[in-house]
Amino acid sequence: MFSNASSFVEGVDIAFFIIIGISLVFLVGITAAMIYFVIKYNKKRHPKAEPTKDNFQLEIFWTVIPTLLVLGMFYYGWVGYRPMRIIPKNAIPVKVTAKMWSWSFEYENGKWDSLLIVPVNKPVKLELFSPDVLHSLYIPAFRVKEDVVPGIANVMWFKAQKEGTYNILCAEYCGQRHSYMLSKVKVLSQKEYEKWYNAKDTLAEKMMPGEILMKKQACIACHSTDGSKLVGPSFKGLYGSKVTVLVNGEKKEIIADDEYIKNSILDPNSEVVEGFPQGIMTNYSGQISEDEIKQFIEYIKTLKDD
Amino acid sequence: MNETITSHAVHRDDEASKIGMWLFLFTELLLFGGLFLVYTIYRHLNSAAFANAAGELSVLFGTINTIVLITSSLTIALSISAIKNNNAKRAKIMLWLTLIFALIFMINKYFEWSAKIHHGLFPGMEHFMSLPPGEGLFFLLYFFMTGLHAFHIIAGSIFIAVVIAQLNKSKITQDDYVLQENAGLYWHLVDVIWIYLFPLFYLIH
Amino acid sequence: MSTEQTALPADNFFNQGGKGLMSWLTTTDHKRIGLLYMYSIAIFFSVAVILGLLMRLELIAPGKTIMEASTYNKTFTLHGVIMIFLFIIPGIPAVFGNFFVPLLMGADDVAFPRLNLMSWYLYIIGAAIALSTLVFGEGSADTGWTFYAPYSVKTGTNVSTSVFAAFVLGFSSILTGLNFLTTIHRMRAPGMGWFDMPLYLWSTYATSWIQILATPIIGITLLMIIAERALGVGLFDPSLGGDPILYQHLFWIYSHPAVYIMILPAMGVVSEIIPVFSRRRMFGYKAIAFSSLAIAFVGYLVWGHHMFTSGMSGPARIIFSILTFLVAIPSAIKVFNWLATLNKGSIDLQPPLLYSLGFIFLFLIGGLTGLVNGALATNTHIHDTAFIVGHFHYVMFGGTGFGFFAAMHYWFPKMYGRMYNIKRATRAFWVTFIGFNILYFPMFILGLEGMPRRYYDYLPEFQGWQVVSTVGSWILVTGLIMMFVNIIRGARKGKPAGDDPWNGYTMEWETSSPPPLENFHQAPVFKKPTYED
Amino acid sequence: MENNHSHSISDKTYIFIWVSLLILTFLSVEASFVHFRAFAVGVALFIATAKAFIVAYYFMHLKFDSKIIGIMVLVTGIVFLTFIILTFFDYGFREPIV
Ligand code: HEA
Ligand code: HEA
Ligand code: CUA
Ligand SMILES: [Cu+2]
């Protein structure tokens, strides 16, 4: 009856059925009564209203019955929810970084990906981390959702029960590209998962370190490498070009050299590129090392104008 | 519910003005209430840092200001009993005294704030930014709450000044002094809020 | 004006107290202030409606249809801000409350008429500030009407201005509530005890208490956001040891009670209309009166249900869930008593009753889906999805909105002394009602399928229901335009309605239509109504 | 000269109240130097509340006003307390941040 994509689906869906079921009974019953009264006691058919007699017992009756019903609803809501808060000790920990506007998932052995890859029938614990604003990790098929709050170590967990690929959506408004902050969770068989988990990182062979880093740090959520304008300016042809920036509201022309790029990363709001919003890019000082900045610059240098 | 219901023919209803004033005071209380809630939660989350930071505030300054405000509450209460006894002159003297206490309070506050700002503790200043987590919050709340309170002192003083002007014009009399009473209520509320601000900011170590 | 002859009484408040714009802008007459509110609210409501329709148009297909993502985000924020702070919170209390609170209790005005005018000016100033973001500065806020930190502190758009507007509007709302409370305490006609008050007054009384005690909290919270933006560091900044979730607590401490500011007056209106059109006394008068107070009080205790997935502690989630379910009980009591009043009455299905029954049906759907929101397991799935959007449009628009329309059709003859076309009003109701359901019901399905809210773009599998919903929005507009055209025509050319066209029981029907400046020709004395025709 | 105004407090009483407020102020300053540990906040708030009560009851005339105003004050206080208590259901039970 239930899809059972995760171990929570059944409890949640039972709660849905019970609450919506009771609600439907009331909705249909009350609507039917309304229509019935309007027809039966229409003033043509029933010209003289009967005087109202208050009925205390009736008042008690229709206070107590709904109270019992809603307490029942609460109970099933709680039962379906409780397992979500009891995290098994053996759950596989994955560190989730939610950032405007992309997800990244890091595993215990340092493996990193923008997709969430998990084995079937094994509990997985997600440690949620956000450097900028609120986000919310939502996997509809699994019936789980928890906000990612800067400064607060929220956790969630689930146990996938069916192999397949499911949507991950961001369910807390986080700015311009909120609706594009999507990812997928891939549920693999234990064997495939282990194969993936233990495989050597092939990325390093294909990409420059700066490029990988840019993916990990989710710079590419805001900066393209092909010249198209996203939230931030494109990196294409940036190096060595003339950039018009606003410093405290005053226009200035600057050559995009090493120093400028470094400053743009560590203190992006001191020199704001004209035509782009201030305050959107987070201050990366403390999160990115000198070496990493060098790698960025090396990579940006390769993105020349054609 | 032992209140009398006045018919709409009566044009002046002091009881209504008083109820209106009290209702307004409730909104003021809850305005500060929101800040007290923030204070309580943050104190709970950062209790050591709060105690540390509170050490920077001068208990002496705080105590003097508490006494000043309590005394100003007394003088305004006395001014109302003076007008009830048809002694407009004494009522005015008491109100002037209240204003003088308000001024002393503000001068005191000025020196206190300048000292803090001199130490770079105002939000956004360099020293403020280098404080350990929690202490910054304390000073932020300190400036926000005492600032808002000082703003209320000013508003209350203006209210009292208006009352003095009305007394001069004999618009407030023994039979019609509800405006003065309302000014008193407002002033006492400002006092009550300080009564809580004082221990919360100055007395916790 | 029309040339056709009118038999309106000459001494009505439109004629007395001066003519011309200035006499309106300086009036302290509660009836004129009520109308001032109505006209200004109608203007802002239309702006927000157009924004709503544009959003629907954007959502008809995935990808870009008519606007950019950043425009869409500003659009739903402004739509929400206007609808909440400019339309639905002041809606019934400021328009019908101002006009009818004194009339229902036989008073000549509210307790503080000048303060009343000031509330209106604050309202207009707040509205002007809110709308100014459209024209000036870096564009209107793009945070959603909830202004959640830290995004509201980081974004480059004009959040401070929007937030300040909400602050000013809050003050307007507080002063209105203060005025009504004092009026109800002090100005009832001789002979009218607390339990003789019409039920609308009870609901206004409860509403006003919420306005007084909850609004200051949002006021101060919004000031904190402004301070945080101005100083660059702030109270919700985790690097200082702050906590972004605390912002949500403060926001919802106000904004949940605020949803009862919205619905209680509508419930009061329905409690006035049902007895009149069933020709009998309200069943369970006291139960309804007390349930208003109960909703107001329990309403303070449930704000956490907006934060079930925010990272709140486990026990808090459980407590808030239980309390949320308890707040449904007083609403249930009201619904059952309304039904019991209809039972064995002599029902006359005039437009006001039709709108009231529409209210009950739509509020039922909205309220019952509120229960789905309130349970922990189900909330986890549907929080921040289209399901929530469906829920609150049903309660706010289907509930309060229809309550507003019911009040308009009920009290219209008293306000203007004329009657609208009954047949057209009935027809407009059905178009509106059907359009409404086609527009908003699909949102429940979308939400259950996992479509998040505030999404500019969406996965293609959601498109089917989005299209249905957009088509519904066009039907709804048609119905509403029919309704307003009929009302406006009625106000200008309708037949004189007489003092008491509906055979009402309450005191406003004792005076002439429209009422004279001082409301009653002689100082009225309250007599218990007899419900015999 | 007591006049016909129903309820007046004599100036002497006012001064007596003022003195008691001053005493409470000194008490709470003194108490802050004694180490009550966990109770420090409780003691400070208790004294503050006593002071606030005195101000409201005498200076603000709650003692003589119609009962309805007293009830309103009580309701306001209760509402504010519920805000604090319910918020603590969250912060009091947060799992320690790791
Ligand atoms: C007019 C406004 C209004 C009203 C009256 C309500 C009424 C209720 N609301 Fe709603 N709500 C909103 C406006 C309103 N709401 C808004 C604007 C939001 C979204 C804010 C945002 O995030 O932007 C929201 C969001 C919202 C949430 C958060 C969802 C989320 O974001 O995760 C929840 C959760 O519990 C909720 C619950 C309820 C409940 C239980 C009621 C109850 O009061 C309903 C009670 C009524 C009934 C139950 C029907 C009548 C009863 C019967 C016929 C008896 C039979 C029933 C029984 C068995 C009891 N609402
Ligand atoms: C009372 C409140 C209210 C009302 C009435 C409405 C009305 C409408 N809303 Fe509203 N809506 C909100 C309150 C309201 N909304 C809030 C609070 C939000 C949340 C914002 C946020 O997320 O921050 C929201 C969000 C919201 C969304 C979700 C955005 C998202 O999450 O991505 C959508 C999407 O379809 C939507 C659509 C509509 C539409 C199509 C209408 C239409 O129904 C409008 C239909 C009305 C008409 C068609 C009237 C036509 C009449 C005339 C033109 C004549 C007028 C003349 C006179 C008055 C004289 N709204
Ligand atoms: Cu991230 Cu929305
Ligand atoms: Cu709510």
Side-chain angles (χ1 to χ4, degrees):
Chain A
M1 184 170 175
F2 305 107
S3 80
N4 272 332
S6 85
S7 56
F8 303 138
V9 172
E10 191 173 334
V12 171
D13 286 4
I14 287 178
F16 269 119
F17 276 111
I18 288 175
I19 301 175
I20 295 180
I22 298 177
S23 297
L24 271 180
V25 171
F26 274 95
L27 179 67
V28 172
I30 292 174
T31 311
M34 256 175 358
I35 295 172
Y36 175 75
F37 293 154
V38 167
I39 294 171
K40 170 124 188 260
Y41 298 114
N42 195 284
K43 90 175 171 201
K44 288 195 205 96
R45 246 179 254 166
H46 196 249
K48 190 95 189 84
E50 289 173 29
T52 315
K53 275 205 275 321
D54 282 344
N55 184 334
F56 189 66
Q57 272 162 346
L58 204 54
E59 300 283 348
I60 297 292
F61 173 75
W62 64 44
T63 308
V64 171
I65 296 290
T67 309
L68 295 178
L69 284 175
V70 291
L71 288 179
M73 293 178 184
F74 162 76
Y75 177 75
Y76 281 100
W78 182 53
V79 165
Y81 169 78
R82 199 172 37 179
M84 298 184 201
R85 299 287 289 178
I86 304 171
I87 303 176
K89 288 232 165 49
N90 62 346
I92 304 171
V94 179
K95 184 179 168 203
V96 180
T97 305
K99 217 188 239 185
M100 287 162 149
W101 292 279
S102 70
W103 299 97
S104 75
F105 303 94
E106 203 177 325
Y107 295 78
E108 262 183 315
N109 66 354
K111 205 163 170 90
W112 167 89
D113 209 302
S114 62
L115 296 183
L116 177 57
I117 293 165
V118 299
V120 70
N121 284 327
K122 277 271 168 64
V124 176
K125 172 169 122 189
L126 305 179
E127 294 160 358
L128 306 172
F129 170 76
S130 159
D132 45 36
V133 299
L134 301 175
H135 304 274
S136 189
L137 194 146
Y138 179 29
I139 309 175
F142 293 176
R143 311 284 188 267
V144 292
K145 180 183 291 138
E146 185 81 14
D147 286 9
V148 191
V149 185
I152 301 219
N154 281 353
V155 282
M156 64 198 288
W157 80 281
F158 61 80
K159 189 171 84 186
Q161 294 181 334
K162 262 194 194 148
E163 289 174 38
T165 308
Y166 308 92
N167 289 323
I168 293 179
L169 307 152
C170 175
E172 182 65 63
Y173 177 70
C174 54
Q176 187 175 337
R177 293 175 64 78
H178 164 57
S179 62
Y180 294 101
M181 191 164 161
L182 311 172
S183 183
K184 301 250 186 232
V185 47
K186 255 195 192 149
V187 182
L188 304 180
S189 69
Q190 183 68 27
K191 239 178 152 176
E192 280 175 280
Y193 172 76
E194 269 163 26
K195 203 168 121 211
W196 171 83
Y197 189 74
N198 295 323
K200 241 187 42 216
D201 233 327
T202 48
L203 287 177
E205 289 157 20
K206 283 192 245 144
M207 295 185 199
M208 298 180 63
E211 190 177 1
I212 298 174
L213 202 57
M214 214 166 258
K215 278 207 162 143
K216 271 196 190 176
Q217 290 287 350
C219 313
I220 46 168
C222 302
H223 298 283
S224 77
T225 51
D226 63 0
S228 57
K229 178 181 157 182
L230 296 178
V231 175
S234 174
F235 286 147
K236 186 165 192 183
L238 170 66
Y239 194 84
S241 70
K242 249 198 220 132
V243 188
T244 317
V245 294
L246 298 171
V247 182
N248 294 325
E250 268 172 62
K251 263 193 212 176
K252 234 172 144 183
E253 289 222 331
I254 292 189
I255 303 281
D257 53 11
D258 293 18
E259 195 49 38
Y260 167 75
I261 291 180
K262 183 174 159 194
N263 187 45
S264 293
I265 297 170
L266 297 184
D267 190 6
N269 293 322
S270 63
E271 298 165 334
V272 182
V273 184
E274 193 183 18
F276 289 92
Q278 185 178 5
I280 286 294
M281 182 167 157
T282 341
N283 190 328
Y284 281 92
S285 57
Q287 294 183 42
I288 291 184
S289 68
E290 291 280 328
D291 278 351
E292 289 172 325
I293 290 177
K294 289 218 182 77
Q295 293 173 356
F296 278 135
I297 295 172
E298 284 313 309
Y299 174 60
I300 291 176
K301 275 184 189 163
T302 65
L303 301 168
K304 295 207 187 66
D305 268 327
D306 342 80
Chain B
M1 320 222 158
N2 55 349
E3 26 165 357
T4 48
I5 290 144
T6 37
S7 103
H8 76 300
V10 177
H11 278 291
R12 207 186 97 207
D13 183 356
D14 289 350
E15 183 70 16
S17 314
K18 218 195 267 176
I19 291 182
M21 191 66 207
W22 269 104
L23 292 172
F24 184 69
L25 296 189
F26 295 157
T27 70
E28 291 278 18
L29 264 173
L30 279 149
L31 196 72
F32 276 94
L35 285 168
F36 279 119
L37 181 60
V38 173
Y39 174 93
T40 317
I41 298 299
Y42 283 164
R43 203 190 124 77
H44 171 78
L45 292 180
N46 310 285
S47 44
F50 266 46
N52 249 344
E56 299 255 345
L57 298 189
S58 149
V59 179
L60 184 67
F61 265 117
T63 314
I64 292 175
N65 260 353
T66 309
I67 294 170
V68 168
L69 265 197
I70 288 178
T71 314
S72 74
S73 251
L74 171 71
T75 52
I76 202 160
L78 289 178
S79 92
I80 293 165
S81 71
I83 194 72
K84 279 189 192 167
N85 292 327
N86 203 13
N87 190 343
K89 193 159 158 236
R90 182 151 156 216
K92 269 186 268 180
I93 294 175
M94 286 300 161
L95 288 176
W96 276 112
L97 277 177
T98 313
L99 282 184
I100 290 171
F101 284 126
L103 191 67
I104 297 176
F105 181 92
M106 291 301 283
I107 292 172
N108 218 337
K109 185 102 282 167
Y110 171 79
F111 282 117
E112 210 189 336
W113 271 45
S114 338
K116 297 285 147 336
I117 292 174
H118 198 75
H119 286 148
L121 288 172
F122 194 74
M125 287 178 139
E126 223 161 285
H127 181 55
F128 175 91
M129 297 307 277
S130 66
L131 289 173
E135 298 200 15
L137 279 184
F138 179 88
F139 285 106
L140 202 64
L141 276 168
Y142 164 78
F143 280 109
F144 204 118
M145 292 175 82
T146 57
L148 192 67
H149 180 259
F151 178 78
H152 279 77
I153 295 265
I154 294 171
S157 303
I158 294 172
F159 197 169
I160 293 173
V162 170
V163 170
I164 294 178
Q166 299 288 51
L167 274 166
N168 282 337
K169 283 191 253 167
S170 296
K171 287 223 172 122
I172 293 179
T173 62
Q174 188 181 16
D175 305 311
D176 183 2
Y177 56 84
V178 69
L179 188 72
Q180 190 177 342
E181 255 191 320
N182 282 346
L185 284 177
Y186 191 81
W187 194 255
H188 293 309
L189 177 90
V190 175
D191 189 12
V192 166
I193 289 168
W194 182 260
I195 284 177
Y196 281 96
L197 288 180
F198 172 58
L200 290 182
F201 280 106
Y202 295 82
L203 294 187
I204 46 166
H205 299 301
Chain C
M1 287 251 68
S2 68
T3 47
E4 143 198 24
Q5 225 4 254
T6 66
L8 294 188
D11 60 337
N12 67 53
F13 71 97
F14 288 102
N15 297 329
Q16 296 168 310
K19 291 217 165 197
L21 191 63
M22 272 326 279
S23 75
W24 281 81
L25 293 181
T26 56
T27 185
T28 54
D29 179 9
H30 66 101
K31 299 183 287 304
R32 286 190 172 198
I33 293 176
L35 290 183
L36 283 177
Y37 267 115
M38 186 159 100
Y39 302 141
S40 29
I41 284 175
I43 293 170
F44 302 127
F45 176 64
S46 312
V47 173
V49 157
I50 292 166
L51 295 176
L53 294 174
L54 290 177
M55 279 193 296
R56 283 305 339 153
L57 204 54
E58 170 57 45
L59 290 180
I60 199 169
K64 181 180 163 184
T65 315
I66 55 166
M67 56 173 99
E68 295 293 336
S70 56
T71 318
Y72 181 80
N73 296 344
K74 290 174 183 174
T75 307
F76 71 67
T77 305
L78 198 61
H79 169 80
V81 168
I82 295 182
M83 283 298 189
I84 299 266
F85 294 108
L86 289 175
F87 168 57
I88 201 159
I89 288 183
I92 298 182
V95 176
F96 300 105
N98 258 319
F99 204 105
F100 287 101
V101 163
L103 283 166
L104 281 164
M105 63 170 85
D108 61 349
D109 207 322
V110 291
F112 309 112
R114 270 178 303 169
L115 196 67
N116 201 10
L117 184 64
M118 191 172 126
S119 314
W120 182 73
Y121 275 104
L122 281 177
Y123 171 79
I124 291 295
I125 293 170
I129 298 174
L131 291 184
S132 74
T133 57
L134 277 177
V135 196
F136 301 109
E138 300 85 37
S140 61
D142 65 341
T143 56
W145 78 282
T146 46
F147 302 115
Y148 271 11
Y151 185 71
S152 62
V153 177
K154 294 210 160 154
T155 172
T157 54
N158 217 332
V159 174
S160 298
T161 316
S162 306
V163 161
F164 184 67
F167 180 78
V168 174
L169 292 166
F171 259 90
S172 165
S173 171
I174 288 175
L175 295 181
T176 305
L178 187 157
N179 225 330
F180 288 160
L181 282 184
T182 316
T183 309
I184 291 173
H185 268 280
R186 299 298 302 169
M187 298 186 58
R188 279 169 281 133
M192 185 187 277
W194 282 94
F195 290 107
D196 300 321
M197 289 201 309
L199 285 163
Y200 180 71
L201 292 183
W202 272 108
S203 72
T204 304
Y205 188 74
T207 310
S208 303
W209 270 111
I210 311 178
Q211 284 174 304
I212 296 253
L213 295 185
T215 318
I217 304 273
I218 191 142
I220 197 71
T221 311
L222 296 178
L223 281 188
M224 290 183 224
I225 290 287
I226 295 178
E228 187 155 351
R229 284 180 72 88
L231 295 173
V233 285
L235 285 164
F236 306 115
D237 184 347
S239 63
L240 291 184
D243 179 7
I245 296 177
L246 186 59
Y247 171 83
Q248 301 178 22
H249 278 294
L250 291 165
F251 182 84
W252 292 114
I253 284 178
Y254 164 74
S255 294
H256 182 82
V259 309
Y260 298 115
I261 299 180
M262 306 168 195
I263 201 71
L264 275 169
M267 292 170 155
V269 166
V270 171
S271 308
E272 288 302 315
I273 291 174
I274 286 181
V276 170
F277 293 91
S278 345
R279 312 286 342 129
R280 66 208 292 254
R281 190 166 63 80
M282 179 55 94
F283 192 94
Y285 170 95
K286 283 198 181 173
I288 292 196
F290 282 124
S291 65
S292 291
L293 297 181
I295 289 180
F297 186 72
V298 185
Y300 283 120
L301 313 179
V302 306
W303 75 80
H305 65 209
H306 296 271
M307 303 164 55
F308 284 149
T309 66
S310 68
M312 207 165 51
S313 78
R317 299 184 199 206
I318 292 169
I319 295 274
F320 278 121
S321 177
I322 296 186
L323 289 169
T324 298
F325 279 107
L326 294 184
V327 82
I329 308 295
S331 302
I333 293 174
K334 280 187 199 279
V335 172
F336 294 132
N337 280 299
W338 290 330
L339 270 188
T341 310
L342 289 171
N343 185 16
K344 301 195 179 137
S346 168
I347 297 170
D348 187 7
L349 200 60
Q350 297 285 356
L353 184 63
L354 204 51
Y355 275 103
S356 301
L357 300 183
F359 165 93
I360 296 179
F361 179 78
L362 299 175
F363 173 71
L364 269 178
I365 297 184
L368 293 167
T369 52
L371 299 175
V372 184
N373 298 344
L376 290 168
T378 48
N379 183 279
T380 311
H381 182 52
I382 56 179
H383 169 72
D384 257 334
T385 63
F387 193 95
I388 307 299
V389 181
H391 158 70
F392 67 69
H393 280 96
Y394 264 91
V395 273
M396 293 207 291
F397 193 7
T400 312
F402 274 63
F404 187 93
F405 300 148
M408 200 159 75
H409 285 87
Y410 178 55
W411 278 319
F412 180 84
K414 179 57 60 185
M415 298 166 85
Y416 291 94
R418 296 174 191 277
M419 190 54 98
Y420 46 83
N421 183 317
I422 304 260
K423 264 214 193 95
R424 288 207 185 122
T426 310
R427 225 178 295 145
F429 167 81
W430 284 111
V431 180
T432 310
F433 181 78
I434 290 165
F436 182 94
N437 285 296
I438 298 178
L439 166 55
Y440 294 116
F441 201 83
M443 294 192 183
F444 292 128
I445 300 165
L446 285 168
L448 288 174
E449 286 173 355
M451 158 90 203
R453 67 190 278 206
R454 295 173 175 166
Y455 259 33
Y456 162 73
D457 198 352
Y458 52 85
L459 303 168
E461 62 246 42
F462 296 123
Q463 193 183 359
W465 289 112
Q466 294 280 16
V467 172
V468 175
S469 174
T470 302
V471 171
S473 75
W474 300 331
I475 303 179
L476 178 61
V477 186
T478 317
L480 284 170
I481 291 177
M482 285 163 70
M483 178 173 97
F484 279 106
V485 167
N486 184 32
I487 285 279
I488 293 167
R489 264 170 66 165
R492 305 183 57 193
K493 305 210 188 109
K495 282 205 204 69
D499 290 355
D500 189 2
W502 312 122
N503 267 324
Y505 302 120
T506 36
M507 289 179 87
E508 78 270 31
W509 302 112
E510 286 170 20
T511 184
S512 49
S513 312
L517 184 60
E518 295 271 310
N519 284 353
F520 294 91
H521 297 275
Q522 295 129 6
V525 174
F526 176 77
K527 316 181 278 305
K528 275 207 190 321
T530 53
Y531 296 86
E532 307 279 304
D533 292 312
Chain D
M1 185 193 75
E2 277 299 88
N3 66 9
N4 49 1
H5 269 286
S6 44
H7 25 255
S8 286
I9 304 184
S10 75
D11 291 356
K12 234 201 255 156
T13 320
Y14 274 140
I15 291 180
F16 178 74
I17 290 158
W18 173 67
V19 172
S20 47
L21 285 172
L22 291 185
I23 292 173
L24 284 174
T25 305
F26 284 116
L27 262 183
S28 85
V29 174
E30 283 309 310
S32 77
F33 290 104
V34 185
H35 276 277
F36 284 120
R37 282 165 209 247
F39 299 114
V41 186
V43 170
L45 283 182
F46 180 78
I47 297 179
T49 306
K51 284 161 75 182
F53 178 79
I54 293 175
V55 171
Y57 202 62
Y58 292 102
F59 282 168
M60 296 171 95
H61 280 223
L62 275 187
K63 185 168 185 219
F64 302 109
D65 275 329
S66 62
K67 227 191 269 153
I68 195 81
I69 296 184
I71 295 173
M72 289 178 180
V73 175
L74 208 68
V75 168
T76 307
I78 291 173
V79 166
F80 178 61
L81 271 185
T82 53
F83 289 166
I84 297 219
I85 292 169
L86 279 174
T87 314
F88 257 93
F89 269 104
D90 179 3
Y91 289 92
F93 297 94
R94 286 271 179 93
E95 286 94 292
I97 295 165
V98 253

